Amino acid sequence: MRSLFRALLLLLLLAPAWIAPAVAVFVEEKLDDPTLEARARDISAGIRCLVCQNQSILDSNADLAKDLRQIVRERVAIGESDTEVRGYLVTRYGDWVLLDPPFKLTTLLLWLGPAVIFILGAIAAIVFLLGRNRRPDDAESAGLSPQEEAEIDRLLDPEGHEQKS
Amino acid sequence: MRFRFLIPVLTFAAIAIVMWYALFNLNPTEIPSELVSKPAPEFALDAVPGYGPELSKSDLATGKVVLLNVFASWCVACLAEHPFFMEIKQQNLVEIYGLNYKDTPDAAAQWLDRHGNPYSRTGMDIKGRVGIDFGVYGVPETFVISPDGKILDKIIGPVSREMFEERIRPLLNGAGS
């Protein structure tokens, strides 16, 4: 019974791996050349649907997404490169249409921000941890005054030990 | 180090202020127009039947500020701004051109027939390609066009009286219309 339960649990944990992501592909006018069609889809997958903003135009059924897919196909068919096709859309809708924002001066903070915050956090954590470890050491090593040393010597030295008799 | 306890408090306050601002002042569904301060794209469209003359890029450079309103008979929000556009026309505040987006000629003509025609020119963008050239991603959108045919601003969604006073009126005066 218990092993069955465990097996079920394992299956649930692995669920994201064995359920294939549902990708809806809307096929209107496919390009005849399969490599061009594949390229058009590849580009479309990276173009944001402006109506339903966190979907790509490849898996949105909004009217505008359909038109944009059509435009991507047309541009690919007339022999434009991937960057040219993206450029066509960017001049109309801005960098926003790209699901991956480009790396440039105005997006520096966006791309490097997390790394900078991570590094600052790591430095803060290291400083904090080192500081916490050192403090008790300092207290011990700095600790004893000459009188205390003398007192210890006196107590540890059996010769000079005062006998209580 | 007496005020060390303030570090987390201030960090939280800074984050809270940024998020508060973003929550109430930024609208993530509003995409700024890429075309602002650029010339309008090339286009030439036939008029909605009976509601001419037709509309092309050269008609936009009129020597005064004009509005280019993207509308459609299937667009519910367009009805919200329509009475105000009729008022603008009656008071002759600014000329409005109508870009009929992804509509049929009949439906567009019927719609203008029923609700009145505030436009001094109309163009039918039946396939929606001109709209895409203008960066339109929803209806209504209203472009403010400069005297030399450049796009000065774009208003997304229905134009209200307040929005007109705030964003369009200053442009009318600034350009000396």
Side-chain angles (χ1 to χ4, degrees), chain A residues 9-53:
Chain A
L9 205 66
L10 192 69
L11 216 60
L12 273 179
L13 282 173
L14 292 175
W18 51 260
I19 298 173
V23 179
V25 172
F26 298 92
V27 184
E28 12 333 86
E29 287 167 44
K30 267 207 292 189
L31 293 174
D32 292 334
D33 184 339
T35 55
L36 287 184
E37 174 65 19
R39 260 188 61 211
R41 284 194 190 179
D42 198 43
I43 296 169
S44 298
I47 301 292
R48 186 192 302 277
C49 168
L50 295 118
V51 182
C52 25
Q53 297 179 354

Side-chain angles (χ1 to χ4, degrees), chain A residues 50 64 91-94 96, chain B residues 29-38 66-70 81 130-146 150-159 163 167-168 171:
Chain A
L50 295 118
L64 183 64
T91 53
R92 283 156 182 76
Y93 291 103
W96 176 253
Chain B
T29 60
E30 233 174 68
I31 304 165
S33 175
E34 193 61 14
L35 289 167
V36 165
S37 80
K38 286 184 193 155
V66 292
L67 301 184
L68 178 69
N69 174 239
V70 184
E81 62 179 3
V130 174
I132 287 173
D133 284 343
F134 269 92
V136 170
Y137 68 95
V139 194
E141 284 184 11
T142 304
F143 293 86
V144 185
I145 311 283
S146 77
K150 277 191 190 139
I151 292 167
L152 293 175
D153 199 3
K154 166 167 123 166
I155 289 159
I156 292 157
V159 174
M163 217 179 273
R167 289 178 62 180
I168 301 177
L171 294 172

